[in-house]
Amino acid sequence: MKKKIIPVLLCALCACGSSDDDMTKPVISDKGIVAMPTDCQVYHRGDIIPFHYVFTDDTELGNYNIEIHHNFDHHTHGTTATVCEMDEKKAPVNAWIFNNDYEIPAGQTTYNSRLDIRIPDDIDTGDYHFSIRVTDRAGWQEMKALSIKIVE
């Protein structure tokens, strides 16, 4: 009976992890680059938003997500202290919603991300949030939310 319990206990102890486990969130950085977008930038319908940020992690990066949604009700995400000039509050009619995940190649601790995101021609103009989330392979996540404006 004791012979069966010892291997089970050893497996359970090994599954608990060690002090070397990744306990650090990844970083969204603009060091050494011209980051895009930044708070309060104005874009036109039909234009391209050139996305450029650097992601780093002490162990290994996993993936990132970009989400764009309207801010016609003036809600906040609390990741920046910048205050942008905002339009009057309004109800959305044809607000833009963009939400895409992007894989980072395995083994990367630094990733220089560049994308061109096309703004649809027929969306509501006004205030929008541009949210960036990066997740490392251990599941830790960092978020940066920016305020942008889309005009005619």
Side-chain angles (χ1 to χ4, degrees):
M1 185 71 123
K2 287 183 183 180
K3 289 182 182 180
K4 290 182 183 177
I5 293 174
I6 292 174
V8 171
L9 285 173
L10 285 174
C11 287
L13 289 172
C14 290
C16 291
S18 70
S19 60
D20 293 336
D21 286 346
D22 182 0
M23 300 297 289
T24 306
K25 293 194 303 186
V27 175
I28 300 169
S29 175
D30 60 0
K31 290 183 181 172
I33 64 167
V34 176
M36 296 289 271
T38 59
D39 270 318
C40 307
Q41 283 189 304
V42 177
Y43 298 94
H44 294 269
R45 290 193 291 194
D47 283 353
I48 298 292
I49 298 174
F51 175 77
H52 188 198
Y53 276 88
V54 175
F55 307 132
T56 60
D57 188 62
D58 63 330
T59 307
E60 184 178 7
L61 292 162
N63 64 7
Y64 67 101
N65 171 275
I66 296 175
E67 178 189 348
I68 303 168
H69 62 267
H70 77 82
N71 187 21
F72 302 160
D73 61 356
H74 297 181
H75 68 275
T76 65
H77 292 282
T79 67
T80 181
T82 304
V83 178
C84 303
E85 185 178 325
M86 297 182 77
D87 295 345
E88 296 281 326
K89 288 184 180 182
K90 66 180 181 179
V93 175
N94 187 30
W96 184 25
I97 299 173
F98 180 94
N99 192 346
N100 283 346
D101 294 312
Y102 303 91
E103 276 297 314
I104 296 172
Q108 302 293 308
T109 57
T110 300
Y111 186 72
N112 189 354
S113 177
R114 288 181 174 265
L115 296 169
D116 286 333
I117 301 169
R118 187 181 172 283
I119 302 169
D121 294 322
D122 61 348
I123 61 164
D124 294 340
T125 59
D127 301 305
Y128 282 82
H129 280 148
F130 190 108
S131 300
I132 308 159
R133 292 176 182 85
V134 61
T135 307
D136 68 13
R137 292 283 178 205
W140 294 100
Q141 185 180 87
E142 183 61 53
M143 177 180 157
K144 181 178 188 81
L146 307 162
S147 295
I148 62 171
K149 187 178 298 287
I150 298 174
V151 297
E152 292 290 329

